[in-house]
Amino acid sequence: MDFLKILRSLDELLYEVITWLFFYPRTLWRVLRHPLKMVDYTKQELAKQDAQFKDTISPPLFLILTLIILYGFALANHNQVFLNNNTQTGDIGHIVFGSIQNTLMFRSLNYSVWSLIFSLGLLNMQRISIDRETLRAPFFIQCFLIAPYALGVTLGFIYTASHTLALQILGLSLLLVSLLWYIIVQVKYIVMVVHISYLRAVLHTLLYFVFGCMISYLIAYMMLKHLA
């Protein structure tokens, strides 16, 4: 009986993993094409009692899968910036990016912290009391929005590390486009939700972005201290 339960569990797991082959690109396309529509979509899905995000991938899982795909892509391309244990990026780079576990843990924390910072900032601007329930929707929305940014930026860094000029130009283009897309979407999102001017929205976005960069470095430093 227990063996049958294990088989059923494996069936469900296999089915779930296989469906990601369809639902991941579908979710990515929807976020890229209509990022602000995903705001209302996320709120509607979270309001359901069951069967949430049944036509897409849930935002946190979407972000994690993006990071796993990126690591696999870097591994397949033998990218030295992210994968070489003998990299010259210093102790932090050596320890953080020296193994699959450390790399995925760092990047998951990194982008999750950015999502958290933007979520907390948005709730604060709306004068909404922060608790686990009020934080869930903006955090899930931010996971949707930051995944394409992580995808573009990481691919950009991979290609800029190439020895081919065309790929280096492609990498720089991806970095610029991804950054602009992320900033523009965040600004429009803040304006839509908080109803402030674009100038104030830009200032808040840049503030949260810079703060996220600082926290990311702090996380890397703490990982260095813990793993050294």
Side-chain angles (χ1 to χ4, degrees), residues 86-101:
N86 297 319
T87 181
Q88 300 301 315
T89 55
D91 290 338
I92 292 180
H94 173 75
I95 293 178
V96 171
F97 300 118
S99 70
I100 293 177
Q101 296 90 337

Side-chain angles (χ1 to χ4, degrees), residues 12-32:
E12 294 175 1
L13 177 61
L14 178 61
Y15 175 74
E16 181 67 23
V17 172
I18 290 299
T19 58
W20 291 346
L21 296 175
F22 171 76
F23 287 111
Y24 178 84
R26 182 185 192 182
T27 305
L28 178 62
W29 173 247
R30 290 179 63 175
V31 175
L32 285 172

Side-chain angles (χ1 to χ4, degrees), residues 46-65:
L46 289 176
K48 297 178 180 179
Q49 297 299 320
D50 54 4
Q52 297 177 345
F53 302 101
K54 65 179 182 179
D55 59 340
T56 58
I57 295 178
S58 67
L61 179 58
F62 178 58
L63 175 58
I64 293 173
L65 287 178

